[in-house]
Amino acid sequence: SCTGWYWAVGPVLMVGIFLRVLAGGVLHLSGRSRQNKTSLLKQFQKDPKLWIKVLVYVLCLMALLVFAAWLIVRVRGETGILTLEEAAFIINSTDSLEELALELP
């Protein structure tokens, strides 16, 4: 069923947001002289708190990446995420990996 966020919209949305944030950072760093900006070295010397801003950006980027990866690799059951009982039932009721793959939603 496609009710709720159990289908592919969540992972696709998070990957898209991650790529846009990453591209924004790359655009900010590339071609600084053509954008009428000073070099990064001068910018870091001028504003010592810039390291904190860069660290916050990198941490947010990593969090988006981890959340998007989790949304992609998680196993979904009837309630959205596979419970221990559902996993035990699937593992105990199958003899091969091919049958296990067919039973997953």
Side-chain angles (χ1 to χ4, degrees):
S1 117
C2 290
T3 58
W5 285 90
Y6 307 135
W7 49 305
V9 169
V12 170
L13 186 67
M14 290 310 299
V15 168
I17 291 172
F18 167 75
L19 288 175
R20 282 167 178 78
V21 171
L22 178 66
V26 169
L27 284 174
H28 184 72
L29 292 176
S30 64
R32 290 182 67 86
S33 62
R34 289 179 277 161
Q35 298 176 19
N36 199 18
K37 294 181 181 177
T38 60
S39 69
L40 282 178
L41 183 60
K42 289 181 183 178
Q43 197 73 22
F44 280 119
Q45 290 172 353
K46 182 180 176 182
D47 185 11
K49 292 185 179 182
L50 188 60
W51 287 106
I52 296 172
K53 295 175 186 175
V54 170
L55 181 65
V56 168
Y57 169 76
V58 169
L59 289 176
C60 288
L61 195 65
M62 289 174 56
L64 283 171
L65 178 64
V66 168
F67 187 59
W70 176 78
L71 284 175
I72 291 169
V73 299
R74 70 187 173 131
V75 178
R76 286 163 282 212
E78 290 179 16
T79 60
I81 297 177
L82 200 63
T83 64
L84 290 176
E85 292 82 18
E86 290 170 334
F89 175 76
I90 290 172
I91 290 172
N92 291 333
S93 66
T94 60
D95 295 328
S96 68
L97 291 176
E98 291 82 18
E99 292 175 14
L100 178 62
L102 292 175
E103 287 186 20
L104 291 176

